[in-house]
Amino acid sequence: MFIKNLQADLLKIKGTPIILAHILIPMITSGLFLIYYSFSAWNENTGIIAFYQAVGAGFPVLIGIFTASMIKQEQNAGGFQNLLTLQQKTAAFLSKVLLLLIFSMFSVLLTTFIFGFGFCMILKDSTGGMGIYITAAFAMWCSSIPLYIWQMILAFQFGEGVSIGVGILSGLVSALMLTGLGDYIWKYTFVSWTGRIPYTYLKFTLGESGAINELAAVITIYCIFTAISMIYYLLWASRYEGNKISE
């Protein structure tokens, strides 16, 4: 049943901008940063950190857009009737989150490989090879899981406009949490994790003292919050009866 739902969701978004966006955005983003770094005076460590900060801060905005696109495809595929008539809705909702997470992982890794290869080979980076880039990318992807869960709930409960609006607001908060204002509260602000967790990991890897304590604290909070979010999502999905959009 779950595999069939996953295949159905893939068919619904086939030929839509969702798939193409997950390919073009990484290429354009990493390419622009490499071009800029090729003539800028930034040092290696600062350049890497700034790249992951920028990508991480923009991640919540993209999540809001993609979850809104997912609900749009469900609406176009039958006015939500295919979903609402299911006796077991949990597998259907779970497949939607998983599909976006699969695309997200591909997109983050593509961004990382393009930027990492360019930074290592073209710009002669000497920070230790691709391992640091891949680990930072994986940390960013893991950090996005709660965002996908809650944005999916918002999209289906209140519509695509709310999903996009909250995504934009989350991106602004994420960017704000990268400043000194977020030094003490970012660990408790899950919309900032996509930018701040990779940043903290890079600080630790590049030798900044105190970063390991921050990582340990946020990993514990992350695991608890993500588990609670997933449990709530599954319970919410099993009881979903539509909203004004689907009536």
Side-chain angles (χ1 to χ4, degrees):
M1 176 65 73
F2 177 75
I3 299 299
K4 290 182 179 179
N5 282 308
L6 197 60
Q7 292 173 338
D9 286 329
L10 185 59
L11 286 174
K12 290 174 187 175
I13 66 172
K14 188 177 181 180
T16 68
I18 296 177
I19 297 176
L20 186 61
H22 280 85
I23 299 173
L24 291 181
I25 292 175
M27 295 173 64
I28 294 172
T29 302
S30 53
L32 289 175
F33 269 89
L34 287 173
I35 292 172
Y36 173 68
Y37 286 156
S38 66
F39 60 82
S40 69
W42 289 45
N43 63 52
E44 294 172 354
N45 292 354
T46 306
I48 296 171
I49 289 175
F51 172 75
Y52 281 97
Q53 283 181 317
V55 174
F59 212 158
V61 180
L62 295 176
I63 292 173
I65 294 172
F66 291 139
T67 51
S69 298
M70 183 65 77
I71 186 179
K72 187 68 174 179
Q73 296 310 311
E74 189 66 42
Q75 186 175 13
N76 293 338
F80 296 95
Q81 294 307 308
N82 293 332
L83 183 62
L84 294 174
T85 54
L86 293 174
Q87 291 184 347
Q88 298 293 332
K89 303 184 183 72
T90 304
F93 277 100
L94 190 59
S95 72
K96 297 179 188 304
V97 170
L98 182 59
L99 185 62
L100 286 179
L101 285 172
I102 291 172
F103 282 137
S104 173
M105 176 177 284
F106 168 81
S107 187
V108 169
L109 288 177
L110 180 60
T111 307
T112 294
F113 280 118
I114 295 174
F115 178 78
F117 178 80
F119 213 71
C120 289
M121 303 301 294
I122 301 174
L123 303 180
K124 308 300 180 183
D125 170 43
S126 59
T127 55
M130 286 294 298
I132 185 174
Y133 301 97
I134 295 174
T135 306
F138 183 71
M140 182 185 297
W141 178 79
C142 288
S143 305
S144 72
I145 294 175
L147 272 172
Y148 275 105
I149 292 172
W150 287 103
Q151 283 284 27
M152 191 67 71
I153 293 173
L154 288 174
F156 275 92
Q157 199 66 43
F158 302 107
E160 56 184 308
V162 172
S163 178
I164 295 174
V166 172
I168 294 172
L169 180 62
S170 298
L172 294 174
V173 173
S174 181
L176 184 63
M177 291 296 105
L178 289 169
T179 68
L181 295 175
D183 285 346
Y184 300 102
I185 63 172
W186 74 269
K187 293 186 288 294
Y188 313 102
T189 312
F190 76 98
V191 297
S192 71
W193 288 347
T194 53
R196 196 77 193 224
I197 288 181
Y199 166 55
T200 306
Y201 160 74
L202 289 170
K203 287 198 303 179
F204 164 68
T205 304
L206 299 174
E208 185 168 325
S209 60
I212 184 62
N213 295 327
E214 284 188 295
L215 274 179
V218 76
I219 287 174
T220 301
I221 297 171
Y222 165 82
C223 291
I224 295 173
F225 182 75
T226 302
I228 293 173
S229 298
M230 181 56 71
I231 292 171
Y232 178 81
Y233 181 71
L234 295 176
L235 291 173
W236 168 83
S238 67
R239 294 172 170 81
Y240 181 73
E241 297 295 339
N243 54 30
K244 292 183 178 180
I245 299 173
S246 57
E247 290 174 355

